[in-house]
């Protein structure tokens, strides 16, 4: 218990804490084990019998020893459960990678390891195995490195694949330069969490001239590749959706029961029509997974263009869906 004036109570609490350390060390996150002399037992009503949580700094909240999902305190757990978040720092988060290899900038749609770390921290415990079927330049792998998880993944484009190996050489045996459709043949171990962002259909092949010109001026890629099995090169909507869904449905068998799958995706427009990629994917994946929630990622620092003005409604789409599924059977 948090130290109180009652000496007998403090002694009993210390005894209980020592027993927990002896018998349940495997349930205790490393940060507590490494600072054990500052760890206190915690129960919100001060009931020693029922105390089953530990804390170091009361402001950080307490860690419940029954927590089977992650290593977070109740306070951090609750913070993450908001159904939306704002995150803009995609480029500034890549500073250390730029020093490693300037080509890191080449990828047209890379994510932030900080943002992905928040998901990894919520959906896994330290040491668990995380899969990203569409690794890109490896933001998920970098997030795994930072948070002490094991990264596994596939990436089709050899240039991006080589950048991942530079970034996280420790995972070189777990990452494959191949089509994500081949994952069932890769003999991967059981996976505890899968998070990825696939191509948003062929959106890059339809970029504005402005976007292309700006990137070409700096010698940056305007699309992922020219190969046929790059999902970003499939122009028919149903063909794209079915191929994408089959990749996630085919990894179902290597996912641990009760593990989560997060897919970050966006609804997109083509020829004046809206195509609900996120909603359609949610439906297709529900054949096997249980759709638990959506968490909406907002980029509120993106410039707004006067689409449609002054004739018709056309949104500037500045949000993505992080679809959260669970393997429950
Ligand atoms: C949105 S990007 C992922 C970016 C990644 N999250 C990052 O932060 O770098 C999608 C990636 O999927 C890759 N890709 C496209 N089709 C694929 C396929 N069939 N199998 C594996 N990777 C594929 C593309 O080369 C691209 O790098």
């Amino acid at each position: 218990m948090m130290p109180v004036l009652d000496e007998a109570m403090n002694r009993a609490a210390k005894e209980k804490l020592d027993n927990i350390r002896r018998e349940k060390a495997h349930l205790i996150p490393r940060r507590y084990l490494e600072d054990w002399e500052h760890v206190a037992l915690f129960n919100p009503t001060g009931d020693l019998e029922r105390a089953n949580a530990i804390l170091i700094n009361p402001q950080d909240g307490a860690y419940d020893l029954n927590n089977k999902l992650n290593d977070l305190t109740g306070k951090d757990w609750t913070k993450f459960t908001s159904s939306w978040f704002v995150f803009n720092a995609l480029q500034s988060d890549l500073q250390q990678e730029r020093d490693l290899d300037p080509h890191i900038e080449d990828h047209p749609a890379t994510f932030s390891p900080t943002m992905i770390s928040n998901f990894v921290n919520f959906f896994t415990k330290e040491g668990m195995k995380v899969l990203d079927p569409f690794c890109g330049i490896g933001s998920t792998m970098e997030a795994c490195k930072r948070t002490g998880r094991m990264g596994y993944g596939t990436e089709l484009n050899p240039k991006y694949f080589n950048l991942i190996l530079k970034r996280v050489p420790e995972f070189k045996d777990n990452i494959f330069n191949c089509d994500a459709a081949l994952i069932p043949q890769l003999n991967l171990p059981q996976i505890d969490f899968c998070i990825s962002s696939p191509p948003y259909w062929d959106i890059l092949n339809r970029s504005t001239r402005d976007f292309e010109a700006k990137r070409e001026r700096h010698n940056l890629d305007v699309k992922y590749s020219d190969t046929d099995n790059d999902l970003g090169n499939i122009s028919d909507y149903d063909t794209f959706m079915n191929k994408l869904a089959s990749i996630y449905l085919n990894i179902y068998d290597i996912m641990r029961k009760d593990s989560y799958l997060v897919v970050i995706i966006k609804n997109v427009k083509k020829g004046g029509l809206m195509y609900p990629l996120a909603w359609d994917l949610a439906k297709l994946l529900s054949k096997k997974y249980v759709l638990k929630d959506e968490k909406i990622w907002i980029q509120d620092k993106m410039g707004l263009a006067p689409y449609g003005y002054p004739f018709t409604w056309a949104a500037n789409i500045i949000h993505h869906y992080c679809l959260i599924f669970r393997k429950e059977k």
Side-chain angles (χ1 to χ4, degrees), residues 117-134:
S117 296
N118 294 337
F119 283 86
V120 168
N121 277 330
F122 189 89
F123 289 106
T124 58
K125 286 179 170 289
E126 194 177 340
M128 284 188 170
K129 300 181 178 68
V130 177
L131 171 68
D132 183 346
F134 301 98

Side-chain angles (χ1 to χ4, degrees), residues 181-197:
L182 299 178
I183 289 176
Q185 296 161 42
L186 296 177
N187 272 327
L188 295 186
Q190 193 173 65
I191 295 298
D192 299 298
F193 177 47
C194 176
I195 181 163
S196 63
S197 176

Side-chain angles (χ1 to χ4, degrees), residues 107 109-111 134 136-137 139 155-156 179-180 197 224 229-231:
H107 194 284
T110 185
F111 279 0
F134 301 98
I137 55 164
S139 311
E155 168 54 47
L156 196 60
D179 190 331
S197 176
Y224 302 127
N229 42 0
D230 177 341
L231 262 58

Side-chain angles (χ1 to χ4, degrees), residues 107-113 116 132-140 154-157 160 167 176 178-181 196-200 204 224-225 227 229-233 243 247 264:
H107 194 284
T110 185
F111 279 0
S112 143
I116 302 297
D132 183 346
F134 301 98
C135 273
I137 55 164
S139 311
T140 303
T154 48
E155 168 54 47
L156 196 60
N157 183 327
Y160 304 148
R167 221 171 162 186
F176 301 84
C178 69
D179 190 331
S196 63
S197 176
Y200 293 173
L204 289 176
Y224 302 127
S225 71
T227 59
N229 42 0
D230 177 341
L231 262 58
N233 290 331
K243 180 144 192 219
I247 287 173
I264 304 177

Side-chain angles (χ1 to χ4, degrees), residues 186-250:
L186 296 177
N187 272 327
L188 295 186
Q190 193 173 65
I191 295 298
D192 299 298
F193 177 47
C194 176
I195 181 163
S196 63
S197 176
Y200 293 173
W201 191 14
D202 61 348
I203 192 173
L204 289 176
N205 292 355
R206 294 179 281 114
S207 322
T208 60
R209 231 0 263 156
D210 207 30
F211 172 84
E212 283 181 8
K214 220 187 277 167
R215 292 189 63 85
E216 275 162 358
R217 248 196 326 273
H218 293 99
N219 250 337
L220 304 174
D221 299 344
V222 286
K223 58 192 291 197
Y224 302 127
S225 71
D226 290 317
T227 59
D228 288 343
N229 42 0
D230 177 341
L231 262 58
N233 290 331
I234 302 177
S235 59
D236 178 70
Y237 184 66
D238 290 333
T239 310
F240 166 79
M241 286 308 295
N242 287 326
K243 180 144 192 219
L244 177 62
S246 76
I247 287 173
Y248 291 115
L249 292 171
N250 285 339

Side-chain angles (χ1 to χ4, degrees), residues 38-317:
H38 294 116
V39 171
L41 201 54
F42 175 74
N43 173 273
T45 60
D47 182 340
L48 179 56
E49 236 350 66
R50 299 169 68 178
N52 202 31
I54 52 177
L55 57 73
I56 296 179
N57 185 345
Q59 277 112 295
D60 296 337
Y63 172 77
D64 192 312
L65 293 164
N66 290 319
N67 183 341
K68 294 203 170 58
L69 180 59
N70 57 41
D71 293 338
L72 299 181
T73 63
K75 191 172 174 181
D76 288 339
W77 175 302
T78 308
K79 222 188 276 170
F80 187 79
T81 56
S82 166
S83 63
W84 63 276
F85 65 101
V86 175
F87 193 93
N88 288 296
L90 293 185
Q91 288 306 314
S92 56
D93 201 29
L94 284 177
Q95 194 48 53
Q96 85 191 44
E97 280 75 9
R98 264 182 219 113
D99 299 342
L100 194 70
D101 191 323
H103 287 295
I104 216 88
E105 304 271 15
D106 290 8
H107 194 284
T110 185
F111 279 0
S112 143
T114 302
M115 187 181 107
I116 302 297
S117 296
N118 294 337
F119 283 86
V120 168
N121 277 330
F122 189 89
F123 289 106
T124 58
K125 286 179 170 289
E126 194 177 340
M128 284 188 170
K129 300 181 178 68
V130 177
L131 171 68
D132 183 346
F134 301 98
C135 273
I137 55 164
S139 311
T140 303
M141 299 302 110
E142 174 65 25
C144 287
K145 176 175 160 175
R146 291 187 192 176
T147 58
R149 273 66 171 172
M150 296 286 291
Y152 293 80
T154 48
E155 168 54 47
L156 196 60
N157 183 327
K159 178 165 93 172
Y160 304 148
F161 170 76
N162 285 322
L163 286 169
I164 307 174
L165 296 189
K166 266 197 175 173
R167 221 171 162 186
V168 287
E170 54 273 72
F171 299 145
K172 70 176 178 359
D173 297 333
N174 308 347
I175 304 168
F176 301 84
N177 179 207
C178 69
D179 190 331
L182 299 178
I183 289 176
Q185 296 161 42
L186 296 177
N187 272 327
L188 295 186
Q190 193 173 65
I191 295 298
D192 299 298
F193 177 47
C194 176
I195 181 163
S196 63
S197 176
Y200 293 173
W201 191 14
D202 61 348
I203 192 173
L204 289 176
N205 292 355
R206 294 179 281 114
S207 322
T208 60
R209 231 0 263 156
D210 207 30
F211 172 84
E212 283 181 8
K214 220 187 277 167
R215 292 189 63 85
E216 275 162 358
R217 248 196 326 273
H218 293 99
N219 250 337
L220 304 174
D221 299 344
V222 286
K223 58 192 291 197
Y224 302 127
S225 71
D226 290 317
T227 59
D228 288 343
N229 42 0
D230 177 341
L231 262 58
N233 290 331
I234 302 177
S235 59
D236 178 70
Y237 184 66
D238 290 333
T239 310
F240 166 79
M241 286 308 295
N242 287 326
K243 180 144 192 219
L244 177 62
S246 76
I247 287 173
Y248 291 115
L249 292 171
N250 285 339
I251 62 170
Y252 187 86
D253 288 344
I254 60 163
M255 299 284 294
R256 173 173 55 76
K257 182 170 174 300
D258 295 332
S259 63
Y260 288 85
L261 161 73
V262 171
V263 183
I264 304 177
I265 196 159
K266 202 173 186 174
N267 292 334
V268 303
K269 296 224 186 90
K270 189 175 188 175
L273 294 177
M274 178 191 167
Y275 288 80
L277 268 76
W279 305 339
D280 285 344
L281 188 68
K283 195 142 189 217
L284 288 168
L285 296 196
S286 298
K287 281 184 198 154
K288 286 192 176 176
Y289 299 93
V290 178
L291 175 65
K292 303 304 286 188
D293 261 313
E294 64 191 9
K295 195 168 164 69
I296 294 174
W297 163 30
I298 299 164
Q299 288 178 286
D300 68 349
K301 294 275 191 300
M302 287 196 26
L304 302 182
Y307 297 134
Y309 178 81
F311 303 111
T312 184
W313 160 259
N316 276 275
I317 303 178

